[in-house]
Amino acid sequence: MLAEGHAPWFVGWGTLALINAGLAQGKNRSGLLWFVLSLLFGPLATLVLVVLPKVRDRLF
């Protein structure tokens, strides 16, 4: 199925997506949404997620 040389890329990309989901939840954002975005855009999604501010839970 997977060529031997390509397997580490899939593992790394999936791990990055899981890390980004956890990071997104820590910033009060949707973990599932950021997981999918990370699968599509990889390190670019990580950069955007790190730069975005944390969402406040309530107004006051």
Side-chain angles (χ1 to χ4, degrees), residues 4-22:
E4 288 183 30
H6 295 292
W9 286 99
F10 289 111
V11 172
W13 207 267
T15 303
L16 180 64
L18 287 172
I19 291 169
N20 284 347

